[in-house]
Structure formats: C-alpha cells, structure tokens
C-alpha cells in the first residue's frame, strides 16, 4: 500500500521543518524537498498535496529560487506560504512588490470563512506575519480570502485549480488557528485520509525489517540515548536475537547510567537481544591523559569509540546489517532533503563506523522527527524515563569537564550532576527546562570549611530552555532550588568548595561548556 504523502518544497525559509512537523501532527506523512528537485521526481512521488515554503528572497529578483510553472498543471493541490505565496502569484501573473509597511509579528487577519482553507476558523484571527514584500495584485482566476489593514492580499485562492496561498505562517504557534488551516488544507483540499500514525509505523517497520533482514545478522551501537534505544528495540522486535547491541561505556556517562542501560537492555532486561557491554573507561582515560584542548578531546573520544566498537564487531564476525539511529532532521540538515545547508559537526556515538564489515545499513528512524521517535518508543513499550530523556552529547562528560579529564574529576561531576538532577526533578523543574546538568570548571579557589582552609574546584550548574537547541536561554531556576543544590554539592562532593550558576544564553555561549 502506498502511503499518502504531502511534499514540502523548500525555498530556504527558517520554519520549513516546522511545516512538515505540523502536517505530520495531522496524521499525514510529509517530506521536505529542495526547490531544486526536478518535476519528474515530484511526479514520481505522486503527492496528495504540495506546500511551497517561505524564504528570505524577493521572488521578482533575478536568481531568486523559483520553480517550473508546470507544477500548477499537475492537478495536485498547492499551498504557498509567505515567499511561496508570493512566488505562486508572481509565476501566475499577479504582482508582488516591496510592501509600503513591513509587517512583523502577531497581526489580526480577517478571513473569509467560506474558503475551504478557513473552514471553522474565526473571522478575525491572530496570525504570524514576517514579510517585506507583499502581493499587490492577485493573479487572474484568484480571489482574495484574507486581508489585514496593511496587507490587502493576506490570502488568495483558486478553488477550481486547488491553488491556495497565505502571506502569514500557519506553521508557527503564534498563528493561533494555524494547525486548523493546515489540517483544512490536507483534509478538505487534498482529500487525505490521515494514515500516518505511530502504531502503524511500528507495525509496518517491523514487517519491512523482517523482510529485508531474513536470517541475517544485525549489529547496533547502543548509547542509551533515545534514538539508538528506539532503533534497537524496533530491530529486536523484528529479528529477536539475530540482533547484537554493543554498548560502549567510555567512562564519561552520567552517574549510574551504564548500569541503567544494562538493566533495560542487558540479559536481565526487557528485550531478547544479545547485549555486549564494553567497560572501556581506563582506555579512554589513558588516551585523554594530559589533553586539555576541547576539539582534541572530542576527536580522541570519537576515534577511540570507533576503535572499541570495531574490535567488538570483529569478535562477532561478519554482520549483514549495521543499524544507525539517523533521524529526519539529520537527513534534511545534511542537505539530502531540503534546502538547508547546515552540516552537523557533532560526533554522535550512535554509530559511525563505515569500515566494520557489513553489507548494508538499516536506518529505521530515518523518516521520523524527534517527537515521533519518542511516540514510537512509547508504542514499543520503552520506559518513559528513557523516552523523554534530555539530550546527552556523544563525548559525554568529556565536554563538561573543562581542561584535562581524570577519573577523579569524572566522579566529581557525576556526583554533582546527580544532585542537581535530583533537586531539579524534586522541584518539578525537569518539565519546565529542556536541558540541565553540572559541569566542572578547572578553576580552583580558596574556601573555608569547619575551621579549615580549602583550595578546591568549582562546579557550574546549567539549565536552559530552548525549542531547537540552536538558541537557548538560561532558565530562571528559583533561588531556593539552586541554594539547596549548592549546599548539598559542597557537603556531599569531595574537592568541590564552590558552586556557580551559568546565566549565559546561547548565543553568545553554547549549551555545553566545550
Ligand atoms: P551546544 O553546546 O552546541 O549544544 O550548544 C547543542 C545541543 O547539542 C548537544 N551536543 C551534542 N550532541 N554530540 C551530540 O550528539 C555532540 O558532540 C554534542 N555536543 C553538543 C548538546 O548537549 C545540546 O543539546
């Protein structure tokens, strides 16, 4: 059975992944393609609908992203958003020019509720606008279906041809009824049935993995993070003990984390898989001895991880398939899907080795957004604390210990971090912040404890709120929580005599310290 698909044609706007996520929240599968994708490829996909995204350009300028007019003749419904709406008008004979008044922010928009797009939407509704150009004249055959004081053409449509265009951004949450509008588009205009659901995704994946793997052997690098855990469980449900999971404990995990991962996935855990835990702490500490430079540390940890994994893989012998926990944003960001050119430089312990002897890679989560991976995890019965785990970098505590890493420093940061996490959770702040941890500065300072002078380390506490981890704000944790954590850390963690709170946002700081 072919799954119904909506194509998001990416013209370089900042909210493009958001459009795809919102469509998927309506239970309609959606993929992002660059505007450079050929029309033949689009036809091959047989989309139920197409959405043109926003973008930073002016469509009337030469060299601006554009598309063949033939797309409007495919008979596939199209929704243009912001730049996408202007481009549609420009290509079809309307007029787009610099707006006399630039609109930015939440704006009250009047909509014609007779339009299929605005069915059940309030006649006056708050929408998010961000544009310098505007449509000054609709293209022939189009009628105006929304307007504001400064934007006489806030939406246009040609219902006979199923072509719709909106100047505002229905995908951002500031557009109060935006999800309703996108849902109207996919259901009432495109006629989708809504077959994208996580339970059927899990079932379908298990079936297709079984078919692909047959009697083959499968190898998976398990980090205990959300993506690799969900990938591993999906594979284990599909092929049982034909799967081997290698979990490398590099000695830079959070307190008790190695044992927690083993408890879930190991021999006494919930799954029938071959679980190999490699305790490689000493090896990593040895390699990291005397190394202070952050990038060098990251590189050593990444390379050593691969060496260890490779050695374990060799012991298993030839494997047929290697599992990777790649998820959809990685695919889009690596330039395969959309127009965005950001390449991740992050090392992901999820599994890089391309020289381990295997025939094929399986990436079962390749089409999922993070929130969908979590839903799939719940469907698979993975414990909630694993599914909703905060992000943890591949190099682990290695990037949370400033300067040289030693076993003793690892212990300090692990203990302090465990206390911070405990206190944050006790105060209910674990639900309000997106990432929080302790880091060890390499600053030593003078203190006094009892009647004794101390000369010890300072721990830095961090807690941030963020939606995409590209920017973040330092969270305003109540003083009481910070105070209680501070006194516990200086009392319970040996060689720490000072606790600092990091008030810096990103930018200018990064979330991690190195
Ligand atoms: P920064 O420090 O760049 O972190 O603001 C942004 C987010 O990415 C996580 N992070 C990593 N994740 N491998 C990963 O898989 C890495 O090397 C890595 N470094 C940072 C960080 O925890 C934060 O959530």
């Amino acid at each position: 059975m072919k799954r119904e698909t909506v194509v998001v044609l990416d013209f370089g706007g900042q909210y493009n992944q958001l459009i795809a996520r919102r469509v998927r929240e309506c239970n309609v599968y959606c993929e992002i393609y660059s505007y450079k994708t050929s029309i033949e490829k689009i036809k091959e996909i047989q989309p139920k609908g197409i959405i043109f995204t926003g973008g930073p350009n002016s469509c009337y300028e030469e060299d601006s992203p554009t598309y063949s007019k033939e797309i409007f003749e495919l008979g596939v419904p199209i929704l243009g958003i912001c730049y996408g709406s202007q481009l549609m008008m420009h290509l079809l004979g309307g007029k787009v020019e610099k707006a006399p008044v630039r609109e930015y922010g939440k704006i009250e928009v009047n909509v014609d509720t007779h339009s299929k797009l605005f069915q059940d939407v309030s006649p006056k509704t708050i929408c998010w606008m961000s544009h310098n150009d505007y449509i000054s004249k609709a293209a022939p055959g189009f009628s105006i279906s929304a307007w504001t004081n400064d934007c006489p053409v806030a939406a246009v449509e040609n219902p006979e041809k199923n072509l719709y265009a909106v100047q505002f951004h229905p995908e951002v949450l500031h557009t109060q009824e935006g999800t309703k509008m996108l849902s109207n588009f996919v259901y009432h205009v495109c006629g989708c049935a809504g077959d994208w659901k996580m339970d059927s995704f899990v079932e379908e994946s298990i079936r297709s993995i079984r078919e692909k793997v047959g009697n083959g052997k499968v190898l998976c690098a398990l980090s205990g993070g959300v993506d690799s855990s969900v990938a591993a469980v999906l594979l284990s449900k599909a092929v049982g003990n034909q799967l081997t999971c290698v979990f490398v404990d590099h000695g830079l995990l959070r307190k008790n984390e190695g044992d927690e991962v083993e408890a879930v996935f190991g021999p006494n855990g919930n799954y029938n898989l071959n679980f190999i835990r490699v305790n490689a702490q000493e090896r990593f500490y040895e390699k990291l001895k005397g190394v202070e430079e952050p990038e060098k540390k990251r590189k050593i940890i990444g390379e050593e991880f691969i060496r260890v994994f490779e050695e374990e893989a060799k012991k298993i012998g030839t494997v047929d398939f290697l599992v990777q926990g790649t998820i959809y944003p990685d695919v889009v960001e690596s330039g395969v899907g959309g127009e965005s050119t950001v390449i991740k430089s992050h090392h992901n312990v999820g599994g890089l080795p391309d020289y381990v002897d295997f025939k094929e890679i399986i990436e079962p989560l390749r089409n999922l957004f993070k929130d969908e991976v979590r839903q799939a995890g719940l469907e698979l019965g993975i414990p909630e604390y694993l599914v909703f785990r905060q992000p943890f970098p591949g190099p682990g505590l290695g990037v949370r210990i400033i300067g040289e890493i030693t076993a003793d420093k690892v212990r300090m940061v692990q203990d302090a971090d465990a206390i911070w996490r405990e206190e944050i959770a006790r105060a209910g702040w674990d639900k309000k912040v997106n990432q929080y941890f302790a880091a060890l500065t390499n600053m030593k300072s003078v203190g006094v404890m009892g009647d004794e002078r101390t000369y010890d380390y300072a721990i830095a506490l961090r807690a941030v709120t963020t939606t995409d981890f590209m920017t973040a704000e330092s969270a305003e944790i109540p003083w009481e929580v910070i105070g209680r954590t501070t006194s516990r850390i200086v009392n319970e963690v040996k060689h720490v005599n000072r606790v600092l709170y990091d008030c810096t946002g990103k930018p200018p700081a990064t979330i991690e310290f190195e």
Side-chain angles (χ1 to χ4, degrees), residues 46 106 115 136 138 166 207 210 232 266 302 310 312 320 326 337 347 384 389 392 398 404-405 410 425 446 467 474 494:
Q46 298 181 345
K106 293 182 190 173
S115 162
S136 54
V166 293
R207 200 171 334 121
R210 271 191 196 138
E310 193 179 25
E312 286 309 312
D320 304 284
T326 321
H347 157 63
E384 277 195 24
R389 186 165 247 206
F392 187 63
E404 190 190 5
I405 295 167
V410 171
V446 175
T467 44
S474 174
K494 230 168 113 191

Side-chain angles (χ1 to χ4, degrees), residues 298 344-349 391-396 399-400 435 437 468-470 506 509-514:
R298 275 177 174 271
K344 255 196 189 169
S345 59
H346 283 165
H347 157 63
N348 230 329
V349 167
F392 187 63
V399 294
R400 295 180 182 171
Q435 199 171 6
F437 55 85
D468 56 7
F469 297 89
M470 308 290 278
K506 171 185 179 176
T510 52
I511 295 174
E512 301 292 346
F513 281 62
E514 287 193 336

